[in-house]
Amino acid sequence: MGGAQQALREAETRAEIAEGKLALLHAAVPPAAAPRPVAPNEEFRGVRAAKRLTISGELDIEIDGVPAKLVDVSVTGAQILASASMKPNRLVRLTLPSGDQTMVCKAKIMWSRLEPRAGQMWYRAGLSFTAVDQIALETFIDGQDSPR
């Protein structure tokens, strides 16, 4: 039994040393830099890369030639509602009305979910722009933001 007791004492000593080192490391990290623990049922909320403009009313747009509605828009992407299937990771062509012309943006569907709307099933999807005329898009957003 002497060997087992000796091994147990050595393991306890190593554990105490490790706990001491851990306490020193925790003391060295300022509280503001320590990560906030996440509750088990808390959802992840990403940080927005750009300010989004919510579209008042409904603005008709097209996704790959299919009629859709613009929900919100920013210089990095948009949220849309479409009656056609919107599969994530698919590249699409978004057509926005811009005065007397139309503006075409290329985008990637980042997420999509099916939801009931006005007695029908619609796809709500988040798009990330992959190719867009940045100046024309900013002009479009400014025009939507200003009072009509």
Side-chain angles (χ1 to χ4, degrees):
M1 278 307 248
Q5 288 177 344
Q6 178 67 26
L8 178 61
R9 277 194 295 257
E10 289 173 2
E12 287 174 345
T13 303
R14 286 192 306 271
E16 288 174 9
I17 291 170
E19 286 175 355
K21 288 180 180 179
L22 186 59
L24 288 173
L25 286 173
H26 282 292
V29 176
R36 180 182 67 81
V38 178
N41 61 354
E42 184 178 5
E43 282 188 45
F44 171 75
R45 301 273 186 227
V47 177
R48 292 254 181 245
K51 180 182 173 230
R52 290 207 174 254
L53 170 70
T54 301
I55 303 299
S56 60
E58 294 188 341
L59 182 63
D60 293 323
I61 61 169
E62 288 185 359
I63 304 288
D64 286 343
V66 176
K69 306 286 183 191
L70 185 63
V71 175
D72 65 33
V73 65
S74 75
V75 293
T76 60
Q79 185 179 152
I80 57 101
L81 283 168
S83 58
S85 175
M86 296 283 118
K87 296 190 188 232
N89 296 318
R90 191 173 116 209
L91 297 175
V92 294
R93 184 175 179 220
L94 172 71
T95 307
L96 299 168
S98 184
D100 296 337
Q101 301 178 348
T102 57
M103 179 176 42
V104 177
C105 309
K106 292 181 181 177
K108 180 178 182 180
I109 300 173
M110 301 305 290
W111 59 267
S112 174
R113 73 173 179 248
L114 194 59
E115 65 181 52
R117 183 174 188 266
Q120 298 177 21
M121 295 306 282
W122 286 71
Y123 287 86
R124 182 177 295 268
L127 309 178
S128 176
F129 294 133
T130 59
V132 65
D133 179 341
Q134 205 66 37
I135 294 172
L137 182 59
E138 288 173 8
T139 302
F140 172 81
I141 291 171
D142 289 343
Q144 296 299 311
D145 199 18
S146 63
R148 293 177 199 162

